[in-house]
Amino acid sequence: MKELKLFIMKTCPFCQKVERYMKENNISIEVADIKEDPKSKEELIEQGGKVQVPMLLIDEKPLYESNDIIDWLKENS
């Protein structure tokens, strides 16, 4: 089982797209809002090297872009 964490900002439409897909498909992943939690923002930068959301952290490897994240979820959930 892979270790997953999704970094988002609630106001980001691309993040909302990923969250909507997860909800519609009953996918439960730890979600960290970088706006609400400064430590999550630090972790996002530390793990991925940039401030870009959504970012799905898969076993400490970053995956960006909402469509790529949704495709990964489709294949691995």
Side-chain angles (χ1 to χ4, degrees):
M1 181 114 185
K2 297 208 179 277
E3 187 179 325
L4 304 173
K5 186 170 186 178
L6 180 66
F7 292 85
I8 62 152
M9 280 192 313
K10 290 200 187 310
T11 56
C12 166
F14 300 103
C15 297
Q16 292 168 3
K17 177 180 174 180
V18 172
E19 286 193 297
R20 188 170 42 253
Y21 175 82
M22 288 171 47
K23 184 177 180 180
E24 290 168 355
N25 292 276
N26 296 318
I27 298 170
S28 181
I29 295 173
E30 180 184 357
V31 176
D33 188 325
I34 66 166
K35 208 66 156 171
E36 293 176 3
D37 182 13
K39 287 183 181 178
S40 291
K41 185 175 183 178
E42 289 173 22
E43 184 181 356
L44 171 72
I45 295 167
E46 187 178 293
Q47 294 289 337
K50 56 185 172 180
V51 181
Q52 179 181 332
V53 290
M55 189 267 267
L56 179 61
L57 194 60
I58 309 162
D59 290 338
E60 298 186 12
K61 293 181 183 147
L63 177 64
Y64 298 94
E65 303 299 332
S66 57
N67 288 333
D68 293 341
I69 292 170
I70 289 170
D71 287 344
W72 189 91
L73 292 171
K74 284 178 184 174
E75 292 174 13
N76 294 279
S77 295

Coordinates of all heavy atoms in Angstrom, one line a residue:
M1 N 0.8 -1.2 0.0 CA 0.0 0.0 0.0 C 0.9 1.3 0.0 O 1.8 1.4 0.8 CB -0.9 0.0 1.3 CG -1.8 1.1 1.4 SD -3.5 0.5 1.2 CE -4.4 2.0 1.3
K2 N 0.6 2.2 -0.9 CA 1.4 3.4 -1.0 C 0.9 4.4 0.0 O -0.2 4.5 0.4 CB 1.2 4.0 -2.4 CG 1.7 3.0 -3.5 CD 2.1 3.8 -4.7 CE 2.7 2.9 -5.8 NZ 4.0 2.6 -5.6
E3 N 1.9 5.2 0.4 CA 1.7 6.3 1.4 C 1.3 7.5 0.5 O 2.1 8.0 -0.3 CB 2.9 6.6 2.2 CG 2.7 7.6 3.3 CD 3.9 7.8 4.1 OE1 4.7 6.9 4.3 OE2 4.1 9.0 4.5
L4 N 0.1 8.1 0.7 CA -0.4 9.2 -0.1 C -0.8 10.4 0.8 O -1.3 10.2 1.9 CB -1.7 8.7 -0.8 CG -1.6 7.5 -1.7 CD1 -2.9 7.1 -2.3 CD2 -0.6 7.8 -2.9
K5 N -0.6 11.6 0.2 CA -1.0 12.8 0.9 C -1.2 13.8 -0.2 O -0.4 14.0 -1.1 CB 0.1 13.3 1.8 CG -0.4 14.5 2.6 CD 0.7 14.8 3.7 CE 0.2 15.9 4.6 NZ 1.2 16.1 5.7
L6 N -2.4 14.4 -0.2 CA -2.8 15.4 -1.2 C -2.7 16.8 -0.6 O -3.3 17.1 0.4 CB -4.2 15.2 -1.7 CG -4.7 16.1 -2.7 CD1 -4.0 16.0 -4.1 CD2 -6.2 15.9 -3.0
F7 N -1.9 17.7 -1.3 CA -1.7 19.1 -0.9 C -2.6 19.9 -1.7 O -2.6 19.8 -3.0 CB -0.3 19.5 -1.0 CG 0.7 18.8 0.0 CD1 1.2 17.6 -0.4 CD2 1.0 19.4 1.2 CE1 2.1 17.0 0.5 CE2 1.8 18.8 2.1 CZ 2.4 17.6 1.7
I8 N -3.4 20.8 -1.1 CA -4.4 21.6 -1.8 C -4.5 23.0 -1.2 O -3.9 23.3 -0.2 CB -5.8 21.0 -1.7 CG1 -6.3 20.9 -0.3 CG2 -5.9 19.6 -2.3 CD1 -7.8 21.0 -0.1
M9 N -5.3 23.9 -1.9 CA -5.8 25.1 -1.4 C -7.3 25.0 -1.7 O -7.6 24.8 -2.9 CB -5.2 26.3 -2.0 CG -3.9 26.7 -1.4 SD -3.3 28.3 -1.9 CE -3.5 28.4 -3.6
K10 N -8.2 25.2 -0.7 CA -9.6 25.0 -1.0 C -10.1 25.9 -2.1 O -11.1 25.6 -2.8 CB -10.4 25.3 0.3 CG -10.2 24.2 1.3 CD -11.3 24.2 2.3 CE -11.0 23.2 3.5 NZ -10.7 21.9 3.1
T11 N -9.5 27.1 -2.3 CA -10.0 28.0 -3.3 C -9.5 27.7 -4.7 O -9.9 28.4 -5.7 CB -9.6 29.5 -2.9 OG1 -8.1 29.5 -2.8 CG2 -10.2 29.9 -1.6
C12 N -8.6 26.8 -4.9 CA -8.0 26.5 -6.2 C -9.0 25.6 -7.0 O -9.3 24.5 -6.5 CB -6.7 25.7 -5.9 SG -6.0 24.9 -7.4
P13 N -9.4 26.0 -8.2 CA -10.3 25.2 -8.9 C -9.8 23.8 -9.4 O -10.5 22.8 -9.5 CB -10.6 26.0 -10.2 CG -9.6 27.0 -10.2 CD -9.0 27.2 -8.8
F14 N -8.5 23.7 -9.5 CA -7.8 22.4 -9.9 C -7.8 21.5 -8.7 O -8.0 20.3 -8.9 CB -6.4 22.7 -10.5 CG -6.4 23.5 -11.7 CD1 -6.1 24.9 -11.6 CD2 -6.9 23.0 -12.9 CE1 -6.1 25.7 -12.7 CE2 -6.9 23.8 -14.0 CZ -6.5 25.2 -14.0
C15 N -7.6 22.0 -7.5 CA -7.7 21.2 -6.3 C -9.1 20.7 -6.1 O -9.4 19.6 -5.7 CB -7.3 22.0 -5.1 SG -5.5 22.6 -5.2
Q16 N -10.1 21.6 -6.3 CA -11.5 21.2 -6.2 C -11.9 20.1 -7.2 O -12.6 19.2 -6.8 CB -12.4 22.5 -6.4 CG -12.3 23.5 -5.4 CD -12.9 24.8 -5.7 OE1 -13.5 25.0 -6.8 NE2 -12.8 25.8 -4.9
K17 N -11.3 20.2 -8.3 CA -11.5 19.1 -9.3 C -11.1 17.7 -8.8 O -11.8 16.7 -8.9 CB -10.8 19.5 -10.6 CG -10.9 18.5 -11.8 CD -10.1 19.0 -12.9 CE -10.0 18.1 -14.1 NZ -9.2 18.6 -15.2
V18 N -9.9 17.7 -8.2 CA -9.3 16.5 -7.7 C -10.2 16.0 -6.5 O -10.5 14.8 -6.4 CB -7.9 16.6 -7.3 CG1 -7.4 15.4 -6.6 CG2 -7.0 16.9 -8.5
E19 N -10.5 16.9 -5.6 CA -11.3 16.6 -4.5 C -12.7 16.0 -4.9 O -13.3 15.1 -4.3 CB -11.5 17.7 -3.5 CG -10.2 18.0 -2.7 CD -10.4 18.9 -1.6 OE1 -10.8 20.1 -1.8 OE2 -10.2 18.5 -0.4
R20 N -13.3 16.7 -5.9 CA -14.6 16.2 -6.4 C -14.5 14.8 -7.0 O -15.3 13.9 -6.7 CB -15.1 17.2 -7.5 CG -16.5 17.0 -8.0 CD -17.0 18.1 -8.9 NE -16.1 18.6 -9.8 CZ -15.5 19.8 -9.8 NH1 -15.7 20.6 -8.8 NH2 -14.6 20.2 -10.7
Y21 N -13.4 14.5 -7.7 CA -13.2 13.1 -8.2 C -13.1 12.2 -7.1 O -13.7 11.1 -7.1 CB -12.0 13.1 -9.1 CG -11.7 11.7 -9.6 CD1 -12.4 11.1 -10.7 CD2 -10.8 10.9 -8.9 CE1 -12.2 9.8 -11.0 CE2 -10.6 9.5 -9.2 CZ -11.3 9.0 -10.3 OH -11.1 7.7 -10.7
M22 N -12.3 12.5 -6.1 CA -12.2 11.6 -4.9 C -13.5 11.4 -4.2 O -13.8 10.2 -3.9 CB -11.1 12.2 -3.9 CG -9.7 12.2 -4.4 SD -8.5 13.2 -3.4 CE -8.9 12.6 -1.8
K23 N -14.3 12.4 -4.0 CA -15.6 12.3 -3.4 C -16.5 11.4 -4.2 O -17.1 10.5 -3.6 CB -16.2 13.6 -3.1 CG -17.5 13.6 -2.3 CD -18.0 15.0 -2.1 CE -19.3 14.9 -1.3 NZ -19.9 16.2 -1.0
E24 N -16.6 11.6 -5.5 CA -17.5 10.8 -6.4 C -17.1 9.4 -6.4 O -17.9 8.5 -6.7 CB -17.4 11.4 -7.8 CG -18.1 12.8 -7.9 CD -17.9 13.5 -9.2 OE1 -17.1 13.0 -10.0 OE2 -18.5 14.6 -9.4
N25 N -15.8 9.1 -6.1 CA -15.3 7.7 -6.3 C -14.9 7.1 -4.9 O -14.2 6.1 -4.8 CB -14.1 7.6 -7.2 CG -14.6 7.9 -8.6 OD1 -15.0 7.0 -9.3 ND2 -14.5 9.2 -9.1
N26 N -15.4 7.7 -3.8 CA -15.1 7.3 -2.5 C -13.7 7.0 -2.2 O -13.3 5.9 -1.7 CB -16.0 6.0 -2.2 CG -17.5 6.4 -2.2 OD1 -17.9 7.4 -1.7 ND2 -18.2 5.5 -2.8
I27 N -12.8 7.9 -2.6 CA -11.4 7.7 -2.4 C -11.0 8.6 -1.2 O -11.2 9.8 -1.2 CB -10.6 8.1 -3.6 CG1 -10.9 7.2 -4.8 CG2 -9.1 8.1 -3.3 CD1 -10.4 7.7 -6.1
S28 N -10.4 8.0 -0.2 CA -10.0 8.7 1.0 C -8.5 8.8 1.1 O -7.8 7.7 1.2 CB -10.6 7.9 2.2 OG -10.2 8.6 3.4
I29 N -8.0 10.0 1.1 CA -6.6 10.2 1.2 C -6.4 11.4 2.2 O -7.2 12.3 2.2 CB -6.0 10.7 -0.2 CG1 -6.1 9.6 -1.2 CG2 -4.6 11.2 -0.1 CD1 -5.7 10.0 -2.6
E30 N -5.3 11.4 2.9 CA -5.0 12.5 3.8 C -4.9 13.8 2.9 O -4.1 13.8 1.9 CB -3.7 12.3 4.5 CG -3.3 13.4 5.4 CD -2.0 13.2 6.1 OE1 -1.3 12.1 5.9 OE2 -1.6 14.1 6.8
V31 N -5.6 14.8 3.3 CA -5.5 16.1 2.6 C -5.0 17.2 3.5 O -5.4 17.3 4.6 CB -7.0 16.5 2.1 CG1 -7.0 17.8 1.4 CG2 -7.5 15.4 1.2
A32 N -4.1 18.0 3.0 CA -3.4 19.1 3.7 C -3.7 20.4 2.9 O -3.2 20.5 1.8 CB -2.0 18.8 3.9
D33 N -4.4 21.3 3.6 CA -4.6 22.6 3.0 C -3.5 23.5 3.4 O -3.3 23.9 4.5 CB -5.9 23.2 3.4 CG -6.3 24.4 2.7 OD1 -5.5 25.2 2.3 OD2 -7.5 24.6 2.5
I34 N -2.7 24.0 2.4 CA -1.5 24.7 2.7 C -1.8 26.2 3.1 O -1.0 26.8 3.7 CB -0.5 24.8 1.5 CG1 -1.1 25.5 0.3 CG2 -0.1 23.4 1.1 CD1 -0.1 25.9 -0.8
K35 N -3.0 26.6 2.9 CA -3.5 27.9 3.3 C -3.8 27.9 4.8 O -3.5 28.9 5.5 CB -4.7 28.4 2.5 CG -4.9 29.8 2.3 CD -3.8 30.5 1.5 CE -4.2 31.7 0.9 NZ -3.1 32.5 0.3
E36 N -4.4 26.8 5.3 CA -4.8 26.7 6.7 C -3.7 26.2 7.6 O -3.8 26.4 8.8 CB -6.0 25.7 6.8 CG -7.3 26.2 6.1 CD -8.4 25.2 6.1 OE1 -8.3 24.2 6.7 OE2 -9.5 25.6 5.6
D37 N -2.7 25.5 7.0 CA -1.7 24.9 7.8 C -0.3 25.2 7.3 O 0.2 24.6 6.3 CB -1.9 23.4 7.9 CG -0.8 22.7 8.8 OD1 -0.1 23.4 9.5 OD2 -0.7 21.5 8.7
P38 N 0.4 26.2 7.9 CA 1.7 26.6 7.4 C 2.7 25.5 7.4 O 3.6 25.4 6.5 CB 2.2 27.7 8.4 CG 0.9 28.1 9.1 CD -0.1 27.0 9.1
K39 N 2.6 24.5 8.3 CA 3.5 23.3 8.3 C 3.3 22.5 7.0 O 4.3 21.9 6.5 CB 3.3 22.5 9.5 CG 3.9 23.1 10.7 CD 3.8 22.2 11.9 CE 4.3 23.0 13.2 NZ 4.2 22.2 14.4
S40 N 2.1 22.4 6.5 CA 1.8 21.7 5.3 C 2.5 22.4 4.1 O 3.0 21.7 3.2 CB 0.3 21.6 5.0 OG -0.3 20.7 6.0
K41 N 2.4 23.7 4.1 CA 3.1 24.5 3.0 C 4.6 24.2 3.0 O 5.2 24.0 2.0 CB 2.8 26.0 3.1 CG 3.3 26.8 2.0 CD 2.9 28.2 2.1 CE 3.4 29.0 0.9 NZ 3.0 30.4 1.0
E42 N 5.2 24.2 4.2 CA 6.6 23.9 4.3 C 6.9 22.5 3.8 O 7.9 22.3 3.1 CB 7.1 24.0 5.8 CG 7.1 25.4 6.3 CD 7.4 25.4 7.8 OE1 7.9 24.5 8.4 OE2 7.0 26.5 8.5
E43 N 6.0 21.5 4.2 CA 6.2 20.2 3.7 C 6.1 20.1 2.2 O 6.9 19.4 1.5 CB 5.2 19.2 4.4 CG 5.4 17.8 4.0 CD 4.4 16.8 4.7 OE1 3.6 17.3 5.4 OE2 4.5 15.6 4.3
L44 N 5.1 20.8 1.6 CA 4.9 20.8 0.2 C 6.2 21.3 -0.5 O 6.7 20.6 -1.5 CB 3.8 21.8 -0.2 CG 3.6 22.1 -1.7 CD1 3.0 20.9 -2.4 CD2 2.6 23.3 -1.8
I45 N 6.8 22.4 0.0 CA 8.0 22.9 -0.6 C 9.2 21.9 -0.4 O 10.0 21.7 -1.4 CB 8.4 24.3 0.0 CG1 7.3 25.3 -0.4 CG2 9.7 24.8 -0.5 CD1 7.3 26.6 0.4
E46 N 9.3 21.4 0.7 CA 10.4 20.4 1.1 C 10.3 19.2 0.2 O 11.3 18.7 -0.3 CB 10.2 20.0 2.5 CG 11.4 19.2 3.1 CD 11.2 18.9 4.5 OE1 11.2 19.9 5.3 OE2 10.9 17.7 4.8
Q47 N 9.1 18.7 0.0 CA 8.9 17.4 -0.8 C 9.0 17.7 -2.3 O 9.5 16.8 -3.0 CB 7.6 16.7 -0.4 CG 7.5 16.3 1.0 CD 8.4 15.1 1.2 OE1 8.8 14.3 0.3 NE2 8.8 14.9 2.5
G48 N 8.4 18.8 -2.8 CA 8.3 19.0 -4.2 C 9.2 20.1 -4.8 O 9.4 20.2 -6.0
G49 N 9.7 20.9 -3.9 CA 10.6 22.0 -4.4 C 9.9 23.2 -4.9 O 10.6 24.2 -5.3
K50 N 8.6 23.3 -4.8 CA 7.9 24.4 -5.3 C 6.5 24.5 -4.6 O 6.0 23.5 -4.1 CB 7.7 24.4 -6.8 CG 7.0 23.2 -7.4 CD 7.1 23.2 -8.9 CE 6.6 21.9 -9.5 NZ 6.6 21.9 -11.0
V51 N 5.9 25.7 -4.7 CA 4.6 25.9 -4.2 C 3.6 25.8 -5.3 O 3.3 26.8 -6.0 CB 4.4 27.3 -3.5 CG1 3.1 27.5 -2.9 CG2 5.5 27.5 -2.4
Q52 N 3.2 24.6 -5.6 CA 2.2 24.3 -6.6 C 1.2 23.3 -6.1 O 1.6 22.2 -5.6 CB 2.8 23.8 -7.9 CG 1.9 23.6 -9.0 CD 2.5 23.0 -10.3 OE1 3.7 23.4 -10.5 NE2 1.8 22.3 -11.0
V53 N -0.1 23.6 -6.2 CA -1.1 22.6 -5.8 C -2.1 22.5 -7.0 O -2.2 23.4 -7.8 CB -1.9 23.1 -4.5 CG1 -1.0 23.0 -3.3 CG2 -2.4 24.5 -4.7
P54 N -2.8 21.4 -7.1 CA -2.7 20.2 -6.2 C -1.4 19.5 -6.5 O -0.8 19.5 -7.5 CB -3.9 19.4 -6.6 CG -4.1 19.7 -8.0 CD -3.8 21.2 -8.2
M55 N -0.9 18.8 -5.4 CA 0.2 17.9 -5.5 C -0.1 16.7 -4.7 O -0.5 16.8 -3.5 CB 1.5 18.6 -4.9 CG 2.7 17.8 -5.2 SD 3.2 16.7 -3.9 CE 4.3 17.7 -3.0
L56 N 0.0 15.6 -5.3 CA -0.2 14.3 -4.6 C 1.2 13.7 -4.4 O 2.0 13.5 -5.3 CB -1.0 13.3 -5.5 CG -1.3 11.9 -4.9 CD1 -2.1 12.0 -3.6 CD2 -2.0 11.0 -5.9
L57 N 1.4 13.5 -3.1 CA 2.7 12.9 -2.7 C 2.5 11.4 -2.6 O 1.7 10.9 -1.8 CB 3.1 13.5 -1.3 CG 4.5 13.3 -0.8 CD1 5.5 13.9 -1.8 CD2 4.7 13.9 0.5
I58 N 3.2 10.7 -3.4 CA 3.1 9.2 -3.5 C 4.4 8.6 -3.0 O 5.4 8.7 -3.7 CB 2.8 8.7 -4.9 CG1 1.6 9.5 -5.5 CG2 2.6 7.2 -5.0 CD1 1.5 9.4 -7.0
D59 N 4.4 8.0 -1.8 CA 5.7 7.5 -1.3 C 6.8 8.5 -1.4 O 7.9 8.2 -1.8 CB 6.1 6.2 -1.9 CG 5.1 5.0 -1.6 OD1 4.5 5.1 -0.5 OD2 5.1 4.1 -2.3
E60 N 6.5 9.7 -1.0 CA 7.5 10.8 -1.0 C 7.9 11.3 -2.4 O 8.9 12.0 -2.5 CB 8.7 10.5 -0.1 CG 8.3 10.3 1.3 CD 9.5 10.1 2.2 OE1 10.7 10.3 1.8 OE2 9.3 9.6 3.4
K61 N 7.2 10.9 -3.4 CA 7.4 11.4 -4.7 C 6.3 12.3 -5.2 O 5.1 11.9 -5.1 CB 7.6 10.3 -5.7 CG 8.8 9.5 -5.4 CD 9.0 8.3 -6.4 CE 10.2 7.5 -6.1 NZ 10.1 6.1 -6.4
P62 N 6.5 13.6 -5.6 CA 5.5 14.5 -6.0 C 4.9 14.2 -7.4 O 5.6 13.9 -8.3 CB 6.1 15.8 -5.9 CG 7.6 15.6 -6.2 CD 7.9 14.2 -5.7
L63 N 3.6 14.4 -7.4 CA 2.9 14.3 -8.7 C 2.0 15.6 -8.8 O 1.2 15.8 -7.9 CB 2.0 13.1 -8.8 CG 1.2 12.9 -10.1 CD1 2.0 12.8 -11.3 CD2 0.2 11.7 -10.0
Y64 N 2.2 16.4 -9.8 CA 1.4 17.6 -10.0 C 0.4 17.5 -11.1 O 0.4 16.5 -11.8 CB 2.4 18.8 -10.3 CG 3.4 19.1 -9.3 CD1 4.7 18.5 -9.3 CD2 3.1 19.9 -8.2 CE1 5.6 18.8 -8.3 CE2 4.0 20.2 -7.2 CZ 5.2 19.6 -7.2 OH 6.1 19.9 -6.2
E65 N -0.4 18.5 -11.3 CA -1.4 18.6 -12.4 C -2.6 17.8 -12.0 O -2.5 16.6 -11.9 CB -0.8 18.3 -13.8 CG 0.4 19.1 -14.2 CD 0.1 20.6 -14.3 OE1 -1.1 21.0 -14.5 OE2 1.0 21.3 -14.1
S66 N -3.7 18.4 -12.0 CA -5.0 17.7 -11.6 C -5.3 16.5 -12.5 O -5.7 15.5 -11.9 CB -6.2 18.7 -11.6 OG -6.3 19.4 -12.8
N67 N -5.2 16.7 -13.8 CA -5.5 15.5 -14.7 C -4.6 14.4 -14.4 O -5.0 13.2 -14.4 CB -5.4 16.0 -16.1 CG -6.6 16.8 -16.5 OD1 -7.7 16.8 -15.9 ND2 -6.4 17.7 -17.5
D68 N -3.3 14.6 -14.2 CA -2.3 13.6 -13.9 C -2.6 12.9 -12.6 O -2.5 11.6 -12.5 CB -0.9 14.1 -13.9 CG -0.4 14.6 -15.3 OD1 -1.1 14.2 -16.3 OD2 0.5 15.3 -15.4
I69 N -3.0 13.6 -11.6 CA -3.4 13.1 -10.3 C -4.6 12.2 -10.4 O -4.7 11.1 -9.9 CB -3.6 14.2 -9.3 CG1 -2.3 14.9 -9.0 CG2 -4.3 13.7 -8.0 CD1 -2.4 16.2 -8.1
I70 N -5.6 12.7 -11.1 CA -6.9 11.9 -11.3 C -6.6 10.7 -12.1 O -7.1 9.6 -11.8 CB -8.0 12.8 -12.0 CG1 -8.5 13.8 -11.0 CG2 -9.1 11.9 -12.5 CD1 -9.4 14.9 -11.6
D71 N -5.8 10.7 -13.1 CA -5.4 9.5 -13.9 C -4.7 8.5 -13.0 O -4.9 7.3 -13.1 CB -4.5 9.9 -15.1 CG -5.2 10.6 -16.2 OD1 -6.5 10.5 -16.2 OD2 -4.5 11.2 -17.1
W72 N -3.8 9.0 -12.1 CA -3.1 8.1 -11.2 C -4.1 7.4 -10.3 O -4.0 6.2 -10.0 CB -2.0 8.8 -10.4 CG -1.1 7.9 -9.7 CD1 0.0 7.4 -10.1 CD2 -1.4 7.4 -8.3 NE1 0.5 6.5 -9.1 CE2 -0.3 6.5 -8.0 CE3 -2.4 7.6 -7.4 CZ2 -0.2 5.9 -6.8 CZ3 -2.3 6.9 -6.2 CH2 -1.2 6.1 -5.9
L73 N -5.0 8.2 -9.8 CA -6.0 7.7 -8.9 C -6.9 6.6 -9.6 O -7.2 5.6 -9.0 CB -6.9 8.8 -8.3 CG -6.2 9.8 -7.3 CD1 -7.1 10.9 -7.0 CD2 -5.8 9.0 -6.0
K74 N -7.3 6.9 -10.8 CA -8.1 5.9 -11.6 C -7.3 4.6 -11.7 O -7.9 3.6 -11.6 CB -8.4 6.5 -13.0 CG -9.4 7.5 -13.0 CD -9.6 8.0 -14.5 CE -10.6 9.2 -14.5 NZ -10.7 9.8 -15.8
E75 N -6.0 4.7 -12.0 CA -5.2 3.5 -12.2 C -4.9 2.7 -10.9 O -4.6 1.5 -10.9 CB -4.0 3.8 -12.9 CG -4.2 4.3 -14.3 CD -2.9 4.8 -15.0 OE1 -1.8 4.6 -14.5 OE2 -3.0 5.4 -16.1
N76 N -4.9 3.4 -9.8 CA -4.3 2.9 -8.5 C -5.3 2.8 -7.4 O -4.9 2.4 -6.3 CB -3.1 3.7 -8.1 CG -2.0 3.6 -9.1 OD1 -1.2 2.6 -9.1 ND2 -1.9 4.5 -10.0
S77 N -6.6 3.1 -7.6 CA -7.6 3.1 -6.5 C -8.6 2.0 -6.7 O -8.8 1.5 -7.8 CB -8.3 4.4 -6.4 OG -7.4 5.4 -6.0

